[in-house]
Structures are given as C-alpha cells and as structure tokens.
Amino acid sequence: MELQQMRYVVAVAETGGFTRAAERCLVVQSALSHQIARLERELGAKLFERTSRRVRLTPAGRAFLPAARQCLE
C-alpha cells in the first residue's frame, strides 16, 4: 500500500466522488480510480460501492478509512 493510495481513499470518502477527489488531489480522475482499484485488488476487498450517481463506502471501506487517516497524520 502506498501513501498516495491512502490519500485517494480519504479524498473519495470525504468528497463522495471520484471526480471531486481527483480535483482535490490534483490528479486526473482515471489515475485516482486506477490506484484505488489497485489497492482494492491488493486488499482483496472493495472499499467503495459505485453507482452512476454516488460513491459510498462499503463495510470494508468503513473499516479501512480510520487506518488510512491515521497513516496520513
């Protein structure tokens, strides 16, 4: 896991979307999405439930978020 991936997870969780999170992190949305998908593969769990209208944390994402925030402190 990379620190950048943690930053992306926190940004998506706080903004509620990949596009807004990418804007906040100053990266293109596709790069942010790719890194989160890579992290999800590494963890073996989906962190976000994605629909056409919104992004929500899964139970695994809710469990992971505090650790991601702590890594960034």
Side-chain angles (χ1 to χ4, degrees), residues 14-43:
E14 290 179 354
T15 64
F18 283 79
T19 301
R20 286 180 292 225
E23 290 169 357
R24 177 197 264 186
C25 295
L26 304 175
V27 297
V28 295
Q29 186 268 332
S30 60
L32 182 135
S33 293
H34 176 75
Q35 286 299 313
I36 289 180
R38 183 173 150 212
L39 177 61
E40 289 174 327
R41 283 191 305 275
E42 288 175 20
L43 296 173

